[in-house]
Amino acid sequence: MIRKLFVPQPKASRFGRPPLYRRMCSADGGSAPTTRFLSATGKTFGGLQKVLGITSFIGIVCFVWQWQDRERPVRTIIDSKVRSTSTDVYIPRSELSDKLKVAVFSLKEDLQDYFISITGNREAGKSQLIRYVLDGYDGVLEVSLENDTPPRMAIRTILGVTDENAVARAFVEAESKLGRKPIILIDIHERVTNPNVLDAVSNFAKDFGYEKKLAKVLVVCSTAGTAAGITGDGRRIDFFVPQLTRKELDSADARRVFEIWHGKRVNDEDVQRIFDLVGGRIGNIKEILVLGRDGTMMGSLDKAIAWMKGKLLRDVRQYETIDRCGGFSPKGECLASWLAHEVARFPFDKCLPFKRVPLSPEDFAKTARDAHAHPIYFHPHIKGYCARSPFVHNQLRSVVFQPKSLRSPATAEPASSP
């Protein structure tokens, strides 16, 4: 008879147990069905003793299921780690790594930051740096965003819960077991361009991190993407990841990594050629060295460098289209060609002060990101507009002035590059 009462079972839900059991165990919707079930059971077995036995059994089962429901998202948070970087080769940047570790893991209240934006130029190594710092730590929930998935929805999906209260409760319990705040890592790749999603990330980090202090929220995004969509209202701490310097490229660690990527030793002359072309953007350096390995489709460093040169030239030509396609938003100011010539007017290691440019860094960043054109970037530390590499710096002089572009050069002293 017990078999008859419990079989056939309803199809299991995505939470791993039949919806009927969930209704029977709930405090609100389960009372009436459970009463009818016990009444029928009492008549069937003909005695209160058996009814009480089954009631106890159901109570135990419900307790276990409810405990599992409560514990599952907590364990998900505690057991989460960033994708392993142990097989990746990495150029250690100890000074940057140490500073980022202090910001993320410090337990001193005066050093606690709950909304940290890791910014930097495209291909500067932001994601690689944060993964290197977080590698091996528990309680790091990595959130992948899409253009139609805001962070709150993504986190609820990861934890298998349906409401914000359950999310908050899980993070509080995870903190008590970890002995520190859990970490939420949101790495925004360049394909995420929906302004509503970017705005949702900013609001989530301010609310969940800075205001409620339920977790430390780390947002990895390019400088352009951060300026365009990740606002902070004074509650955001910016951690800027600069390009590798020429000195860093000469270090023993860098040369060891270059040899692994290229399959053989890279001489000083080739390192200088690569730096002149792409600057210190580690992603572009890796592309050249890997594509120029013996046995690859390109098969030589010369061909890989020529390929990258063509890629950068197309980026400059794409930048020229900004003035032809309405200028910088939101006012439609046609300043792209003027800005290119102004940046080229100073030496490469100097930057044009943003105060002398009639354009906000946010408007510049948003338009450049939408146009997929990045020969110029805004440096938030020195507050200036800079060329991405010596080669690109020279090419900016060739940008053709558009008829509506501002022609009167601003008299500006260059800002020193770090």
Side-chain angles (χ1 to χ4, degrees):
M1 186 58 69
I2 293 177
R3 180 182 299 275
K4 184 176 181 180
L5 289 171
F6 284 88
V7 179
Q9 297 181 0
K11 183 179 179 182
S13 69
R14 62 188 289 263
F15 295 96
R17 77 168 190 255
L20 175 59
Y21 295 169
R22 181 178 292 276
R23 292 197 298 272
M24 291 176 63
C25 294
S26 65
D28 51 355
S31 58
T34 304
T35 301
R36 291 196 299 271
F37 170 77
L38 293 177
S39 176
T41 305
K43 293 177 182 179
T44 302
F45 288 96
L48 181 61
Q49 185 176 4
K50 292 183 178 180
V51 172
L52 293 176
I54 294 177
T55 303
S56 300
F57 170 75
I58 293 176
I60 293 171
V61 170
C62 289
F63 173 80
V64 172
W65 283 333
Q66 289 169 351
W67 180 83
Q68 287 179 338
D69 266 0
R70 186 185 182 95
E71 187 69 12
R72 186 181 296 112
V74 178
R75 292 309 316 174
T76 299
I77 296 170
I78 294 173
D79 294 339
S80 295
K81 300 175 184 287
V82 295
R83 291 193 298 273
S84 177
T85 59
S86 57
T87 58
D88 297 341
V89 290
Y90 177 72
I91 300 175
R93 307 183 73 177
S94 57
E95 185 177 350
L96 279 176
S97 300
D98 292 344
K99 288 180 179 179
L100 188 53
K101 283 182 180 179
V102 169
V104 174
F105 294 112
S106 176
L107 298 178
K108 295 181 180 180
E109 189 58 36
D110 60 337
L111 295 176
Q112 293 280 15
D113 297 314
Y114 295 95
F115 177 10
I116 305 174
S117 175
I118 294 94
T119 68
N121 306 319
R122 299 169 73 238
E123 308 292 348
K126 303 178 295 297
S127 297
Q128 193 178 38
L129 175 66
I130 189 61
R131 292 178 190 285
Y132 177 78
V133 169
L134 298 178
D135 193 22
Y137 284 94
D138 295 326
V140 182
L141 191 69
E142 188 171 359
V143 180
S144 298
L145 295 183
E146 300 297 337
N147 264 324
D148 58 350
T149 308
R152 292 183 189 275
M153 182 185 298
I155 290 173
R156 288 198 302 267
T157 300
I158 293 171
L159 299 184
V161 299
T162 57
D163 66 274
E164 290 297 311
N165 290 333
V167 173
R169 184 170 58 246
F171 273 91
V172 170
E173 293 185 17
E175 178 187 356
S176 67
K177 295 181 179 181
L178 285 168
R180 59 169 173 79
K181 296 288 183 184
I183 296 169
I184 298 175
L185 175 62
I186 304 176
D187 197 345
I188 303 177
H189 54 76
E190 62 180 7
R191 295 188 299 279
V192 178
T193 57
N194 186 337
N196 294 328
V197 171
L198 294 176
D199 188 56
V201 171
S202 180
N203 291 333
F204 169 78
K206 287 183 287 188
D207 176 57
F208 207 84
Y210 188 91
E211 298 295 342
K212 296 179 180 176
K213 295 178 172 50
L214 293 170
K216 293 196 172 187
V217 183
L218 313 184
V219 179
V220 182
C221 189
S222 68
T223 305
T226 300
I230 311 298
T231 59
D233 302 334
R235 289 171 279 187
R236 184 187 78 202
I237 300 298
D238 286 333
F239 189 94
F240 183 72
V241 180
Q243 303 182 56
L244 289 165
T245 63
R246 183 64 181 84
K247 183 178 180 180
E248 285 179 300
L249 296 184
D250 286 333
S251 68
D253 288 325
R255 294 307 179 90
R256 175 184 57 82
V257 172
F258 292 167
E259 186 171 345
I260 294 172
W261 285 342
H262 191 52
K264 59 183 178 182
R265 182 179 176 276
V266 183
N267 60 45
D268 294 342
E269 181 182 350
D270 287 335
V271 170
Q272 185 63 49
R273 290 168 63 200
I274 294 171
F275 179 80
D276 289 341
L277 183 61
V278 300
R281 301 200 178 199
I282 193 62
N284 292 149
I285 295 173
K286 181 179 180 179
E287 269 188 295
I288 293 173
L289 293 176
V290 171
L291 291 173
R293 288 175 66 106
D294 293 338
T296 61
M297 185 168 58
M298 293 187 182
S300 74
L301 203 57
D302 289 341
K303 290 183 179 179
I305 289 174
W307 172 82
M308 180 59 71
K309 186 178 295 185
K311 183 178 178 180
L312 296 179
L313 286 173
R314 289 192 295 273
D315 191 38
V316 174
R317 300 288 83 84
Q318 183 67 23
Y319 174 81
E320 289 180 338
T321 66
I322 292 176
D323 281 349
R324 297 199 298 269
C325 296
F328 288 99
S329 62
K331 299 179 181 179
E333 296 158 311
C334 296
L335 300 173
S337 55
W338 172 82
L339 182 61
H341 282 262
E342 283 299 293
V343 171
R345 196 162 65 89
F346 299 125
F348 168 69
D349 60 349
K350 307 294 182 181
C351 295
L352 176 66
F354 84 102
K355 289 185 178 180
R356 301 301 183 99
V357 179
L359 178 71
S360 71
E362 292 77 17
D363 291 340
F364 167 80
K366 184 179 186 305
T367 302
R369 194 170 194 258
D370 291 345
H372 303 288
H374 303 279
I376 298 172
Y377 68 94
F378 177 75
H379 197 305
H381 278 190
I382 63 175
K383 299 187 183 303
Y385 293 93
C386 313
R388 65 180 289 172
S389 72
F391 172 77
V392 170
H393 181 263
N394 291 330
Q395 293 302 313
L396 292 177
R397 297 188 178 92
S398 68
V399 172
V400 179
F401 264 117
Q402 299 299 317
K404 295 182 180 180
S405 184
L406 180 63
R407 291 177 177 273
S408 301
T411 303
E413 294 298 325
S416 297
S417 181

